[in-house]
Amino acid sequence: MRLMGILNVTPDSFSDGGVHADPVAAGLRMVAEGAAWIDVGGESTRPGAAPVEEAEERARVIPVIRALADRGVSISIDTRHAGVAAAAIEAGARLVNDVSAGADPDMFAVVARAGVPMVLMHMRGTPATMQALAAYDDVVAEVWAELDERARLARAAGITELLFDPGIGFAKRLEHNLALLRALPGDRPVLLGVSRKRFIGELTGQDVPAERVEGSIAVAIRAREAGVAILRVHDVLATARALRVWEAVR
Ligand code: HH2
């Protein structure tokens, strides 16, 4: 399992918004700590977050991507906007991570033309509306079926390499998140993001995201057991250390 370090270049992300005085240094540090990828994002997708103008998002992420890519770092661009994805790829990004799984009508074409892999994440609605849409009869079946439908469209547009993400915390309540984590599929490449998320706070009684590291690591071990390909984390060093011990014991 590879680790993907989260680098939010936003003023309002739920956990690390506004904290990186020097985002390039923060990205390089996560690589030194064991991250194989750095996921650069310029728009918060936390529940209820306000959308960002595309020009503003681009101005936030492109200089950081260029600086890190020039230093040989493998960059993923976390965006819902095809224009931002295109500019990020031009600046050196090698993976597109789209929490809307290609809702922008131009997204699949941009990714296909660039020939880079894409992460399709499950969500319903938008970050502003999603929590009201967290109603499922069979969350596991519905989430993976909805992702399969997005994958069909992505492949039809010419994208050949896909990763799948059940979208923990996106239009999901606690029981939905837990059901999806229990039933992670072993038959396809999965990218998972659970780091410091609200459901961990619900289980441990922690409102402050930075107090959710231990719970995040518990899920990291579950992800490793389930064969997850890439785990998206804030706490690279702590997660890498925990996994190293788990690997040795196993
Ligand atoms: N979670 C967040 C953002 N992007 N991408 C994928 N593929 N999977 C996730 O679970 C995921 C994601 C939300 O976390 P974060 O980036 O820390 O916060 P914010 O959206 O507030 O910037």
Side-chain angles (χ1 to χ4, degrees):
M1 184 169 73
R2 318 302 297 275
L3 297 181
M4 170 181 271
I6 301 170
L7 188 57
N8 285 316
V9 196
T10 54
D12 59 342
S13 286
F14 82 94
S15 175
D16 63 344
V19 300
H20 300 302
D22 183 344
V24 175
L28 293 172
R29 193 190 64 240
M30 287 191 279
V31 171
E33 291 173 349
W37 289 93
I38 299 296
D39 191 38
V40 180
E43 179 192 43
S44 175
T45 51
R46 73 180 196 286
V52 175
E53 288 296 328
E54 202 171 309
E56 169 65 21
E57 186 186 347
R58 210 186 283 227
R60 289 175 182 175
V61 297
I62 297 303
V64 176
I65 291 173
R66 205 180 294 283
L68 287 171
D70 283 353
R71 288 167 175 78
V73 177
S74 296
I75 298 294
S76 156
I77 172 65
D78 185 353
T79 188
R80 299 186 287 152
H81 301 119
V84 175
I89 292 163
E90 204 272 320
R94 291 178 29 217
L95 175 64
V96 173
N97 173 25
D98 180 0
V99 299
S100 75
D104 182 325
D106 297 326
M107 184 61 96
F108 288 151
V110 161
V111 177
R113 207 174 307 126
V116 299
M118 179 171 185
V119 180
L120 299 177
M121 196 199 78
H122 179 271
M123 158 162 76
R124 285 180 177 173
T126 66
T129 63
M130 62 189 179
Q131 284 316 99
L133 301 170
Y136 304 85
D137 289 325
D138 179 342
V139 65
V140 173
E142 288 170 52
V143 162
W144 292 103
E146 288 171 30
L147 278 177
D148 279 341
E149 174 57 15
R150 298 309 297 170
R152 196 182 62 74
L153 297 172
R155 290 200 183 95
I159 300 176
T160 53
E161 209 182 324
L162 292 170
L163 288 129
F164 298 86
D165 183 337
I168 298 300
F170 288 82
K172 316 282 179 339
R173 302 191 191 290
L174 175 61
E175 67 268 27
H176 303 138
N177 294 320
L178 294 175
L180 288 162
L181 292 172
R182 281 184 203 113
L184 288 169
D187 62 348
R188 59 173 93 199
V190 171
L191 184 146
L192 192 67
V194 293
S195 187
R196 301 186 180 184
K197 283 191 176 173
R198 181 180 315 206
F199 82 99
I200 292 170
E202 288 175 52
L203 293 169
T204 58
Q206 293 300 332
D207 287 338
V208 178
E211 295 296 328
R212 301 173 185 162
V213 180
E214 305 86 345
S216 304
I217 290 172
V219 189
I221 300 220
R222 162 67 191 141
R224 173 63 186 83
E225 280 176 339
V228 164
I230 302 180
L231 185 69
R232 184 181 180 276
V233 299
H234 296 92
D235 304 287
V236 175
L237 185 62
T239 311
R241 284 177 175 166
L243 288 167
R244 205 173 310 141
V245 173
W246 184 84
E247 295 290 350
V249 172
R250 190 177 69 98

